[in-house]
Amino acid sequence: MRGGRTKVSQYVQRTSAQTGVVPMVEYLVVAGGGAGGAATGGGGGAGGMRVGSLSVTVGTSYTVTIGAGGTASGTTNPGLGGNGSNSVFSSITSTGGGGGNSFNDVGANGGSGGGGGGASASNKAGGTGVSGEGNAGGTGKIDQGGGGFDRPPGGGGGAGAVGADAAQLKAGNGGVGLLSLITGTGTYYSGGGGGGTDRNNNQIKGDGGLGGGGAGAQTVGDGAKTATAGTGNTGGGGGGGNAGTPGGEGFGANGGSGIVVVRYPIGMAINGVGGTVTTVGSYRVHTYTSTGTFSFLA
């Protein structure tokens, strides 16, 4: 869908320490992931992921906002997971992931869409993703014939792939994220959350997508089980809750927070300030896990 999104520009304009000159920086902007739905809940959609290069002006301060992960619902029916919050660097905004939904409800739209909940009468679609940032969530299904209570939910979408649709005795897996090399270490971001299981001990939970997606809750015997939250500072979606017994439905899990990374060659005549600054090979890297600012000082 977005071939070359892991490719980073090698060109940066050489500048002097003069206000008004315009250097180029590379960026990674990942939004917060959506929370998983409760009670046969779809997985949360991953936070939107954007990469590229941007001109910045020396002496100008640019806002950096880190999106929080979505918060899981405190009720099970309805039990829509909350959307993640947007992350921002200058003019670049990545969209928070969509929440997964509970039984008989569709997933929420977002950077990547949340998974649809398991269903009794008609399949429930996953939410849509934002073009250039993520993908749609998977579809939750009506009974798939796996021995009763086989109504699995869909997985949350990831930056690299759609969330998986439910299948017989299998909740949808979260969509895989995308690899970034901007920090000097290959890291996957924006994986979708996996769906939780129905009231069927043979149904298998959905796994979280590579890139911080959390796994869904697995029904083993009666009662609510624990879904896995999206990993912090990856934009991963949270896992969906299981059904358990009536009155023992499980909650979904929270989405993971986002991250912003900015880098440029060490050979530039000026240095930036803001975030946690490291030197990796021939690059200076600014990593933000909380809100702040970035600037090249005049």
Side-chain angles (χ1 to χ4, degrees), residues 175-246:
V176 66
L178 283 174
L179 177 68
S180 172
L181 304 174
I182 194 168
T183 65
T185 301
T187 303
Y188 278 85
Y189 298 94
S190 296
T197 58
D198 195 8
R199 198 170 296 128
N200 183 318
N201 288 344
N202 295 316
Q203 195 176 94
I204 299 170
K205 68 183 179 183
D207 293 325
L210 183 63
Q218 178 77 49
T219 298
V220 180
D222 296 337
K225 308 302 176 183
T226 302
T228 304
T231 302
N233 302 127
T234 67
N242 72 313
T245 54

